[in-house]
């Protein structure tokens, strides 16, 4: 689902001069976004990137939401403001979409 060429370019171009903390923050944001995108796809909110089909699997979506909630609980107090905001915003949007 991810384009390996794009990921490699991101790593080389964007992160080549970054500090360890900046790299970890970028990887954290990428992971949160990937988990969120998978949940939205399984909620039928976005089409499958390869097939274009709309998929609806509430149990699968809940698993991704639960994983993000676990990450929120396990990282509490260890995230910077941007990371915390991204995680809270993603979870808020996913919870609303799940309820709908």
């Amino acid at each position: 689902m991810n384009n390996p060429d794009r990921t490699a370019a991101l790593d080389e171009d964007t992160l080549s001069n970054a500090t360890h903390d900046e790299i970890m923050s970028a990887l954290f944001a990428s992971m949160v976004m990937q988990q969120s995108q998978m949940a939205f796809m399984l909620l039928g909110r976005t089409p499958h990137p390869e097939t274009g089909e709309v998929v609806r699997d509430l149990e699968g979506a809940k698993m991704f939401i639960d994983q993000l909630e676990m990450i929120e609980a396990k990282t509490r107090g260890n995230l910077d403001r941007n990371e915390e905001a991204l995680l809270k915003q993603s979870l808020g949007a996913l919870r609303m979409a799940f309820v709908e």
Side-chain angles (χ1 to χ4, degrees):
M1 290 187 344
N2 288 332
N3 180 344
D5 293 334
R6 183 172 178 214
T7 303
L10 176 66
D11 290 343
E12 293 171 17
D13 297 340
T14 305
L15 302 178
S16 62
N17 295 321
T19 67
H20 178 71
D21 286 345
E22 290 169 335
I23 292 169
M24 292 298 108
S25 187
L27 290 171
F28 179 82
S30 177
M31 188 245 346
V32 169
M33 294 308 299
Q34 288 173 346
Q35 296 285 102
S36 297
Q37 289 169 349
M38 286 299 297
F40 278 121
M41 183 189 71
L42 294 173
L43 289 170
R45 293 298 181 104
T46 58
H48 189 283
E50 292 176 359
T51 66
E53 293 181 29
V54 174
V55 178
R56 193 163 175 98
D57 176 359
L58 296 180
E59 287 184 37
K62 185 175 181 334
M63 179 195 71
F64 283 103
I65 295 168
D66 289 346
Q67 288 176 352
L68 286 170
E69 288 175 341
M70 176 273 304
I71 290 166
E72 180 183 46
K74 291 291 191 176
T75 60
R76 191 165 286 125
N78 291 313
L79 301 177
D80 68 30
R81 277 186 258 160
N82 292 331
E83 293 165 340
E84 188 175 338
L86 174 64
L87 188 53
K88 285 188 182 300
Q89 207 170 31
S90 296
L91 276 169
L94 287 168
R95 287 172 180 144
M96 291 299 292
F98 188 84
V99 170
E100 291 174 4

